[in-house]
Amino acid sequence: MKTIAIAGATGAVGRQMLECLKEQKIEGNVKLLASARSAGKEIDGHIVEELTEDSFQGVDYVLGACENDVTKKWMPWAQKAGCVVIDNSSAFRLDPDVPLVVPEINAQDIAKHNGIIANPNCSTIIALMALHDLDDLYDIESVICTTFQAVSGAGVKGIGDLERELKDEKAKPEAFAYQIAFNVIPQIGGFDENGITSEEWKMQNEGRKILHSPKLNVNCTCVRVPVWRSHSESITVKCKKPVDLDVWRERLADSKGVVLRDDPANNIYPMPIDTTNQDKVFVGRIRYDQADPEKKTVSLFCCGDQIRKGAASNAVQILACLMEKQ
Ligand SMILES: NC(=O)c1ccc[n+]([C@@H]2O[C@H](COP(=O)([O-])OP(=O)(O)OC[C@H]3O[C@@H](n4cnc5c(N)ncnc54)[C@H](OP(=O)(O)O)[C@@H]3O)[C@@H](O)[C@H]2O)c1
């Protein structure tokens, strides 16, 4: 029986990983790791241990769900112990030796790992689940995307801000720069000299790696919204070839992990309230850009649970692929 450790087991993603292991029927001994603050806590019959240098002895796989700085600190210990790590932070995503994987899109890249596999950014996973069929059919040239990102994307602190502000609008925010209740904040991550945030760069840089499209251009605006869970994205895509919307819709209807919700006459379209706490990405509002007579430019709206498909369940799917190959 293999041993699977979850590093960051008390956080939003780590807790979901434990659920996903059960749902995806992954068999193994489970070890929960977090900071010293959480040592001794019980989660679903498991006692949380403090993450230390010795935590990874006898562990086969690590599901990483910590911030970058913490991940960079424990990673060498896991490597020394010979574990295979599937990590959710952005610490290793662009490392050329680390596969960056969405199993429905590039499962074949898993085999190239050298002990670390990275899980992509949550908005990137959700966008690419909606877009990879379009790329297969008509070659995507460029993407313009606006995200509407839930507070739980900032972990337990983000949820805490909205909870406190709903009781008292004057409560001091801890996760966000401003009040998020009854507001939207057009900043996720720090700005660079061009006025682009670190979160906004991820969709282009990670999208290029996952789709094996080194010239893909993405112009992204990331916005935090007062939604508990599930990110939404409004996306306009320019393809290299003219798009047949019916052909694309048919592909989406058959696409693994995608639900087509595209019936505007009956007010059917994706909404985050419907994608919460399940693994599928909903896609709809599919239409041509009327300004492009060549019909190469299309728009869509998509939603997905960023703690599940955007993080935990994608990581556990990667683990399932690895364990099948053993
Ligand atoms: N939330 C999302 O929707 C989402 C989506 C995709 C990717 N991610 C990424 O996934 C990672 C986890 O995100 P999250 O939202 O789950 O964060 P979170 O809710 O803040 O959880 C962070 C986890 O890290 C642990 N931790 C903090 N300091 C530690 C230390 N010194 N040693 C060991 N463990 C420590 C925490 O343990 P304590 O409880 O003991 O402090 C907690 O279990 C991040 O890299 C994030 O960017 C998040």
Short mmCIF file of all heavy atoms in Angstrom, two decimals, residues 20-64:
data_model
loop_
_atom_site.label_atom_id
_atom_site.label_comp_id
_atom_site.label_asym_id
_atom_site.label_seq_id
_atom_site.Cartn_x
_atom_site.Cartn_y
_atom_site.Cartn_z
N CYS A 20 -11.11 14.46 -2.41
CA CYS A 20 -10.95 13.96 -3.80
C CYS A 20 -10.29 12.59 -3.81
O CYS A 20 -10.58 11.77 -4.69
CB CYS A 20 -10.15 14.96 -4.63
SG CYS A 20 -11.07 16.46 -4.97
N LEU A 21 -9.38 12.33 -2.86
CA LEU A 21 -8.76 11.00 -2.80
C LEU A 21 -9.84 9.94 -2.60
O LEU A 21 -9.81 8.88 -3.23
CB LEU A 21 -7.75 10.93 -1.64
CG LEU A 21 -6.41 11.63 -1.85
CD1 LEU A 21 -5.58 11.60 -0.56
CD2 LEU A 21 -5.61 10.97 -2.99
N LYS A 22 -10.81 10.27 -1.72
CA LYS A 22 -11.89 9.30 -1.46
C LYS A 22 -12.79 9.17 -2.70
O LYS A 22 -13.12 8.07 -3.13
CB LYS A 22 -12.73 9.77 -0.27
CG LYS A 22 -12.10 9.41 1.07
CD LYS A 22 -13.06 9.63 2.20
CE LYS A 22 -13.23 11.09 2.48
NZ LYS A 22 -14.12 11.46 3.56
N GLU A 23 -13.16 10.33 -3.26
CA GLU A 23 -14.08 10.32 -4.41
C GLU A 23 -13.49 9.58 -5.60
O GLU A 23 -14.18 8.86 -6.30
CB GLU A 23 -14.38 11.75 -4.86
CG GLU A 23 -15.29 12.49 -3.93
CD GLU A 23 -15.37 13.97 -4.27
OE1 GLU A 23 -14.85 14.40 -5.32
OE2 GLU A 23 -15.95 14.71 -3.47
N GLN A 24 -12.18 9.78 -5.83
CA GLN A 24 -11.55 9.13 -7.00
C GLN A 24 -11.03 7.73 -6.64
O GLN A 24 -10.30 7.11 -7.41
CB GLN A 24 -10.42 10.02 -7.55
CG GLN A 24 -10.94 11.34 -8.14
CD GLN A 24 -9.88 12.10 -8.93
OE1 GLN A 24 -9.05 11.53 -9.61
NE2 GLN A 24 -9.92 13.42 -8.83
N LYS A 25 -11.41 7.27 -5.43
CA LYS A 25 -11.10 5.90 -4.97
C LYS A 25 -9.61 5.56 -5.08
O LYS A 25 -9.20 4.50 -5.57
CB LYS A 25 -11.93 4.86 -5.74
CG LYS A 25 -13.43 5.06 -5.54
CD LYS A 25 -14.22 3.90 -6.08
CE LYS A 25 -15.69 3.95 -5.74
NZ LYS A 25 -16.39 5.21 -5.87
N ILE A 26 -8.78 6.51 -4.60
CA ILE A 26 -7.34 6.27 -4.57
C ILE A 26 -7.04 5.55 -3.26
O ILE A 26 -7.34 6.06 -2.17
CB ILE A 26 -6.57 7.61 -4.58
CG1 ILE A 26 -6.95 8.46 -5.78
CG2 ILE A 26 -5.06 7.37 -4.49
CD1 ILE A 26 -6.33 8.11 -7.08
N GLU A 27 -6.45 4.37 -3.36
CA GLU A 27 -6.16 3.61 -2.14
C GLU A 27 -4.76 3.91 -1.67
O GLU A 27 -3.83 4.00 -2.47
CB GLU A 27 -6.32 2.12 -2.43
CG GLU A 27 -7.78 1.78 -2.58
CD GLU A 27 -8.02 0.29 -2.64
OE1 GLU A 27 -7.08 -0.47 -2.38
OE2 GLU A 27 -9.16 -0.07 -2.94
N GLY A 28 -4.59 4.07 -0.36
CA GLY A 28 -3.27 4.33 0.18
C GLY A 28 -3.38 4.81 1.62
O GLY A 28 -4.47 5.16 2.09
N ASN A 29 -2.23 4.79 2.31
CA ASN A 29 -2.20 5.39 3.65
C ASN A 29 -2.08 6.89 3.47
O ASN A 29 -1.29 7.35 2.64
CB ASN A 29 -0.98 4.89 4.44
CG ASN A 29 -0.99 3.39 4.55
OD1 ASN A 29 -2.01 2.80 4.91
ND2 ASN A 29 0.13 2.75 4.22
N VAL A 30 -2.85 7.63 4.27
CA VAL A 30 -2.84 9.09 4.10
C VAL A 30 -2.18 9.74 5.31
O VAL A 30 -2.42 9.34 6.46
CB VAL A 30 -4.29 9.61 3.94
CG1 VAL A 30 -4.31 11.13 3.92
CG2 VAL A 30 -4.90 9.07 2.65
N LYS A 31 -1.31 10.72 5.02
CA LYS A 31 -0.61 11.45 6.08
C LYS A 31 -0.90 12.94 5.88
O LYS A 31 -0.69 13.45 4.76
CB LYS A 31 0.89 11.16 5.92
CG LYS A 31 1.75 11.65 7.03
CD LYS A 31 3.16 11.05 6.84
CE LYS A 31 4.06 11.49 7.97
NZ LYS A 31 5.37 10.91 7.93
N LEU A 32 -1.40 13.61 6.91
CA LEU A 32 -1.74 15.02 6.77
C LEU A 32 -0.68 15.89 7.44
O LEU A 32 -0.36 15.70 8.61
CB LEU A 32 -3.12 15.31 7.39
CG LEU A 32 -4.29 14.51 6.82
CD1 LEU A 32 -5.61 15.03 7.40
CD2 LEU A 32 -4.34 14.55 5.30
N LEU A 33 -0.17 16.87 6.70
CA LEU A 33 0.90 17.74 7.20
C LEU A 33 0.48 19.20 7.07
O LEU A 33 -0.13 19.60 6.10
CB LEU A 33 2.17 17.51 6.37
CG LEU A 33 2.69 16.07 6.32
CD1 LEU A 33 3.75 15.92 5.21
CD2 LEU A 33 3.28 15.66 7.67
N ALA A 34 0.85 19.99 8.07
CA ALA A 34 0.58 21.44 8.03
C ALA A 34 1.58 22.11 8.96
O ALA A 34 2.58 21.51 9.37
CB ALA A 34 -0.86 21.72 8.43
N SER A 35 1.32 23.37 9.30
CA SER A 35 2.27 24.08 10.18
C SER A 35 2.14 23.59 11.62
O SER A 35 1.18 22.87 11.96
CB SER A 35 2.01 25.59 10.12
OG SER A 35 0.90 25.89 10.92
N ALA A 36 3.07 24.02 12.46
CA ALA A 36 3.03 23.64 13.89
C ALA A 36 1.70 24.07 14.52
O ALA A 36 1.21 23.41 15.45
CB ALA A 36 4.21 24.30 14.61
N ARG A 37 1.08 25.16 14.00
CA ARG A 37 -0.19 25.66 14.54
C ARG A 37 -1.28 24.60 14.49
O ARG A 37 -2.17 24.57 15.31
CB ARG A 37 -0.69 26.88 13.72
CG ARG A 37 0.16 28.10 13.76
CD ARG A 37 -0.44 29.19 12.87
NE ARG A 37 -0.33 28.91 11.44
CZ ARG A 37 0.73 29.19 10.70
NH1 ARG A 37 1.77 29.78 11.24
NH2 ARG A 37 0.75 28.90 9.40
N SER A 38 -1.19 23.72 13.49
CA SER A 38 -2.28 22.75 13.27
C SER A 38 -1.97 21.36 13.81
O SER A 38 -2.83 20.46 13.74
CB SER A 38 -2.57 22.63 11.77
OG SER A 38 -2.90 23.86 11.24
N ALA A 39 -0.74 21.15 14.31
CA ALA A 39 -0.36 19.80 14.77
C ALA A 39 -1.35 19.32 15.83
O ALA A 39 -1.71 20.07 16.74
CB ALA A 39 1.06 19.83 15.33
N GLY A 40 -1.84 18.08 15.67
CA GLY A 40 -2.77 17.49 16.65
C GLY A 40 -4.23 17.64 16.25
O GLY A 40 -5.09 16.95 16.79
N LYS A 41 -4.54 18.54 15.30
CA LYS A 41 -5.94 18.68 14.84
C LYS A 41 -6.38 17.40 14.17
O LYS A 41 -5.58 16.72 13.54
CB LYS A 41 -6.03 19.79 13.77
CG LYS A 41 -6.30 21.17 14.31
CD LYS A 41 -6.59 22.10 13.13
CE LYS A 41 -6.55 23.53 13.60
NZ LYS A 41 -6.49 24.49 12.49
N GLU A 42 -7.69 17.09 14.27
CA GLU A 42 -8.18 15.89 13.59
C GLU A 42 -9.01 16.29 12.38
O GLU A 42 -9.87 17.17 12.46
CB GLU A 42 -9.04 15.08 14.56
CG GLU A 42 -9.27 13.69 14.03
CD GLU A 42 -10.42 12.97 14.71
OE1 GLU A 42 -10.46 12.96 15.95
OE2 GLU A 42 -11.27 12.46 13.97
N ILE A 43 -8.71 15.70 11.23
CA ILE A 43 -9.52 15.92 10.03
C ILE A 43 -9.92 14.56 9.49
O ILE A 43 -9.06 13.75 9.11
CB ILE A 43 -8.77 16.70 8.93
CG1 ILE A 43 -8.29 18.07 9.44
CG2 ILE A 43 -9.65 16.89 7.69
CD1 ILE A 43 -7.49 18.88 8.43
N ASP A 44 -11.22 14.28 9.52
CA ASP A 44 -11.76 13.04 8.96
C ASP A 44 -11.02 11.79 9.47
O ASP A 44 -10.64 10.91 8.70
CB ASP A 44 -11.68 13.13 7.42
CG ASP A 44 -12.64 12.17 6.75
OD1 ASP A 44 -13.59 11.72 7.43
OD2 ASP A 44 -12.41 11.83 5.57
N GLY A 45 -10.76 11.78 10.78
CA GLY A 45 -10.14 10.61 11.40
C GLY A 45 -8.62 10.57 11.31
O GLY A 45 -7.99 9.65 11.83
N HIS A 46 -8.01 11.57 10.65
CA HIS A 46 -6.54 11.63 10.56
C HIS A 46 -6.04 12.75 11.46
O HIS A 46 -6.64 13.82 11.50
CB HIS A 46 -6.08 11.93 9.13
CG HIS A 46 -6.58 10.96 8.11
ND1 HIS A 46 -5.93 9.78 7.83
CD2 HIS A 46 -7.65 10.99 7.29
CE1 HIS A 46 -6.59 9.13 6.89
NE2 HIS A 46 -7.64 9.85 6.55
N ILE A 47 -4.91 12.51 12.15
CA ILE A 47 -4.32 13.55 12.99
C ILE A 47 -3.28 14.31 12.18
O ILE A 47 -2.38 13.70 11.57
CB ILE A 47 -3.66 12.94 14.26
CG1 ILE A 47 -4.68 12.12 15.06
CG2 ILE A 47 -3.02 14.03 15.13
CD1 ILE A 47 -5.85 12.91 15.64
N VAL A 48 -3.40 15.63 12.17
CA VAL A 48 -2.47 16.46 11.40
C VAL A 48 -1.12 16.51 12.14
O VAL A 48 -1.07 16.67 13.35
CB VAL A 48 -3.02 17.91 11.26
CG1 VAL A 48 -2.03 18.80 10.51
CG2 VAL A 48 -4.38 17.89 10.55
N GLU A 49 -0.04 16.35 11.36
CA GLU A 49 1.31 16.43 11.93
C GLU A 49 2.01 17.69 11.45
O GLU A 49 1.73 18.17 10.35
CB GLU A 49 2.15 15.22 11.47
CG GLU A 49 1.62 13.89 11.97
CD GLU A 49 2.38 12.72 11.34
OE1 GLU A 49 3.60 12.84 11.09
OE2 GLU A 49 1.73 11.69 11.08
N GLU A 50 2.94 18.19 12.25
CA GLU A 50 3.73 19.34 11.80
C GLU A 50 4.66 18.89 10.67
O GLU A 50 5.30 17.83 10.75
CB GLU A 50 4.58 19.90 12.96
CG GLU A 50 5.40 21.08 12.51
CD GLU A 50 6.36 21.60 13.58
OE1 GLU A 50 6.35 21.08 14.73
OE2 GLU A 50 7.11 22.53 13.26
N LEU A 51 4.74 19.71 9.61
CA LEU A 51 5.64 19.41 8.48
C LEU A 51 7.08 19.72 8.90
O LEU A 51 7.41 20.87 9.21
CB LEU A 51 5.21 20.26 7.28
CG LEU A 51 5.59 19.80 5.88
CD1 LEU A 51 4.88 20.65 4.85
CD2 LEU A 51 7.05 19.77 5.62
N THR A 52 7.92 18.69 8.95
CA THR A 52 9.33 18.87 9.32
C THR A 52 10.20 18.12 8.31
O THR A 52 9.69 17.41 7.43
CB THR A 52 9.63 18.28 10.72
OG1 THR A 52 9.50 16.86 10.63
CG2 THR A 52 8.70 18.83 11.79
N GLU A 53 11.50 18.24 8.50
CA GLU A 53 12.46 17.56 7.62
C GLU A 53 12.22 16.06 7.50
O GLU A 53 12.52 15.46 6.48
CB GLU A 53 13.87 17.76 8.18
CG GLU A 53 14.57 18.91 7.54
CD GLU A 53 16.01 19.00 8.02
OE1 GLU A 53 16.86 18.26 7.51
OE2 GLU A 53 16.23 19.84 8.90
N ASP A 54 11.68 15.45 8.58
CA ASP A 54 11.51 13.99 8.60
C ASP A 54 10.14 13.52 8.10
O ASP A 54 9.88 12.31 8.05
CB ASP A 54 11.72 13.46 10.03
CG ASP A 54 13.09 13.85 10.55
OD1 ASP A 54 14.05 13.80 9.74
OD2 ASP A 54 13.21 14.21 11.74
N SER A 55 9.27 14.47 7.74
CA SER A 55 7.87 14.10 7.43
C SER A 55 7.73 13.14 6.26
O SER A 55 6.74 12.44 6.15
CB SER A 55 7.06 15.35 7.10
OG SER A 55 6.98 16.19 8.20
N PHE A 56 8.70 13.15 5.33
CA PHE A 56 8.49 12.41 4.08
C PHE A 56 9.14 11.03 4.06
O PHE A 56 9.09 10.35 3.04
CB PHE A 56 8.99 13.27 2.90
CG PHE A 56 8.27 14.59 2.81
CD1 PHE A 56 8.91 15.78 3.14
CD2 PHE A 56 6.93 14.63 2.45
CE1 PHE A 56 8.23 16.98 3.08
CE2 PHE A 56 6.24 15.84 2.39
CZ PHE A 56 6.90 17.02 2.71
N GLN A 57 9.74 10.61 5.20
CA GLN A 57 10.30 9.25 5.25
C GLN A 57 9.16 8.25 5.05
O GLN A 57 8.13 8.34 5.71
CB GLN A 57 10.96 8.98 6.62
CG GLN A 57 12.15 9.88 6.93
CD GLN A 57 13.21 9.87 5.81
OE1 GLN A 57 13.47 8.84 5.21
NE2 GLN A 57 13.77 11.04 5.53
N GLY A 58 9.33 7.32 4.12
CA GLY A 58 8.31 6.28 3.89
C GLY A 58 7.11 6.77 3.08
O GLY A 58 6.14 6.03 2.91
N VAL A 59 7.16 8.01 2.58
CA VAL A 59 6.05 8.54 1.78
C VAL A 59 6.37 8.34 0.30
O VAL A 59 7.50 8.56 -0.14
CB VAL A 59 5.84 10.05 2.08
CG1 VAL A 59 4.87 10.68 1.11
CG2 VAL A 59 5.37 10.23 3.53
N ASP A 60 5.36 7.87 -0.48
CA ASP A 60 5.57 7.66 -1.92
C ASP A 60 5.20 8.89 -2.74
O ASP A 60 5.90 9.25 -3.67
CB ASP A 60 4.72 6.46 -2.38
CG ASP A 60 5.12 5.19 -1.66
OD1 ASP A 60 6.17 4.65 -2.01
OD2 ASP A 60 4.40 4.78 -0.72
N TYR A 61 4.05 9.50 -2.42
CA TYR A 61 3.57 10.64 -3.19
C TYR A 61 3.22 11.79 -2.25
O TYR A 61 2.69 11.55 -1.15
CB TYR A 61 2.29 10.27 -3.95
CG TYR A 61 2.47 9.15 -4.94
CD1 TYR A 61 1.99 7.87 -4.64
CD2 TYR A 61 3.11 9.35 -6.16
CE1 TYR A 61 2.15 6.81 -5.54
CE2 TYR A 61 3.27 8.29 -7.06
CZ TYR A 61 2.80 7.04 -6.75
OH TYR A 61 2.96 6.01 -7.63
N VAL A 62 3.50 13.01 -2.70
CA VAL A 62 3.10 14.19 -1.92
C VAL A 62 2.19 15.05 -2.78
O VAL A 62 2.53 15.38 -3.93
CB VAL A 62 4.32 15.06 -1.51
CG1 VAL A 62 3.86 16.21 -0.62
CG2 VAL A 62 5.38 14.23 -0.82
N LEU A 63 1.03 15.39 -2.22
CA LEU A 63 0.17 16.39 -2.86
C LEU A 63 0.46 17.70 -2.14
O LEU A 63 0.20 17.84 -0.94
CB LEU A 63 -1.31 15.99 -2.68
CG LEU A 63 -1.74 14.71 -3.40
CD1 LEU A 63 -3.12 14.26 -2.93
CD2 LEU A 63 -1.74 14.91 -4.92
N GLY A 64 1.04 18.67 -2.86
CA GLY A 64 1.47 19.93 -2.23
C GLY A 64 0.39 20.98 -2.32
O GLY A 64 -0.12 21.26 -3.41
#
